[in-house]
Amino acid sequence: MALAEDATAESLTLALAQVPPVEIGDDAVERALSRTDRLAAEAATSGADLLVLPEMHLSGYAIGRGAVEAFAQEPGGPALTRMAEIARTYGVAICHGFPERDGHRVYNSAAFIDEHGTELLRWRKLHLFGDVDARQFDRAGFSDEGLTGEGLVADWRGWSVGLAICYDIEFPETARRLALAGADLVVVPTANMVGFEAVSRLLVPARALENQMYVAYANYTGEDPEFQYNGLSLIAGPDGAPVVAAGAGEGLLIGRISAERLVASRRENPYLEDRRGDMLG
């Protein structure tokens, strides 16, 4: 595990933006960036170290393949550069979802940018959800070296941070692989719909407990032409209990995570140490 047994009681404040999807339109990316600027300012005022935005926040989620291709960003693209500038301006790290172009392929991606505007991690959604994802995105590959060649987790302020996107966290293998890579915190931009409330209430807490990590799950509220989103963003602690949890409405959810609590929980619940790797991998 990344945090040492003698780790101090260092803590981080996270701000999860539970907002409606940006409305479809040619200026969707610009409107999403303007909203990010406002949210980052609010997060900084609240003392947050990290702002987490939902899945495909830069363009909206259920927008169709044509719009995904039109809005897709290459590394160093103008919208990603602007996102880095926002992080630097407010001194707040940002995790956000966006459509990523790689040659002729387009992925559902998320990036973790530190407070200096440096991208530390990028993740491409591994588990495509139903027809909506299959129509819009290409399926990402995976390797133990990570999705961008930089590893599965990154060190940020003494914490080992990993990413997943929405449906990914519903598969125990995703969180377990990140845990085995040393993750203390897994950040999950999501677009979860009405009817799937069990993800927030059961699966996300279970992923945190069984892997002895924090999981920050930032969802949409409101609707787009295809879906109604259920909100219920939360930060789940290593004991499976919510550090903080939202209802269905719009807002910025603020929660604090503690290294001391994480170390103590790992002593009490040594699941990763006790697992039968010879049987289950």
Side-chain angles (χ1 to χ4, degrees):
M1 290 313 196
L3 291 174
E5 284 291 306
D6 60 351
T8 62
E10 178 191 3
S11 60
L12 296 170
T13 299
L14 313 185
L16 279 57
Q18 185 165 289
V19 294
V22 65
E23 292 184 8
I24 296 172
D26 292 342
D27 63 342
V29 170
E30 182 56 40
R31 284 185 280 110
L33 288 167
S34 295
R35 181 166 69 180
T36 301
D37 190 281
R38 294 193 299 273
L39 290 168
E42 185 179 348
T45 299
S46 300
D49 302 293
L50 168 64
L51 169 66
V52 186
L53 301 167
E55 180 178 6
M56 290 280 287
H57 177 265
L58 193 61
S59 61
Y61 172 58
I63 60 176
R65 177 75 183 201
V68 164
E69 291 186 345
F71 294 141
Q73 297 289 309
E74 296 180 349
L80 301 186
T81 299
R82 174 84 175 279
M83 195 69 72
E85 291 172 352
I86 293 170
R88 282 195 299 272
T89 296
Y90 297 103
V92 175
I94 298 174
C95 178
H96 71 102
F98 67 100
E100 178 192 5
R101 179 178 299 283
D102 185 354
H104 297 294
R105 300 175 72 82
V106 178
Y107 299 105
N108 182 333
S109 294
F112 187 100
I113 305 164
D114 72 11
E115 62 273 25
H116 308 295
T118 301
E119 184 180 298
L120 301 183
L121 279 175
R122 186 176 299 183
W123 178 272
R124 293 170 177 169
K125 191 175 186 179
L126 294 175
H127 301 88
L128 298 184
F129 177 76
D131 291 340
V132 61
D133 274 346
R135 289 194 306 263
Q136 297 188 127
F137 306 110
D138 294 295
R139 186 177 296 277
F142 180 80
S143 72
D144 283 346
E145 289 73 35
L147 297 173
T148 60
E150 300 296 332
L152 292 176
V153 297
D155 180 77
W156 176 63
R157 296 196 176 187
W159 291 68
S160 184
V161 179
L163 299 180
I165 299 173
C166 197
Y167 199 34
D168 287 334
I169 204 65
E170 298 179 38
F171 293 83
E173 296 87 352
T174 306
R176 179 53 52 88
R177 184 65 193 87
L178 292 167
L180 294 177
D184 305 311
L185 165 67
V186 173
V187 183
V188 188
T190 191
N192 195 28
M193 305 91 171
V194 168
F196 297 95
E197 289 74 20
V199 178
S200 290
R201 293 173 178 161
L202 298 175
L203 295 185
V204 171
R207 296 295 92 86
L209 173 62
E210 69 195 3
N211 292 292
Q212 288 301 289
M213 57 171 58
Y214 285 96
V215 179
Y217 185 83
N219 192 24
Y220 285 122
T221 187
E223 60 186 21
D224 58 28
E226 188 160 354
F227 297 114
Q228 184 177 358
Y229 299 94
N230 64 22
L232 304 180
S233 301
L234 78 156
I235 302 170
D239 58 358
V243 174
V244 64
E250 183 174 354
L252 195 64
L253 187 67
I254 305 294
R256 200 161 181 82
I257 63 175
S258 163
E260 182 177 48
R261 178 180 173 187
L262 184 58
V263 170
S265 183
R266 287 172 173 173
R267 290 196 191 106
E268 295 171 5
N269 301 290
Y271 289 128
L272 296 183
E273 293 179 12
D274 291 348
R275 71 187 182 91
R276 286 291 301 271
D278 58 327
M279 293 177 60
L280 303 176

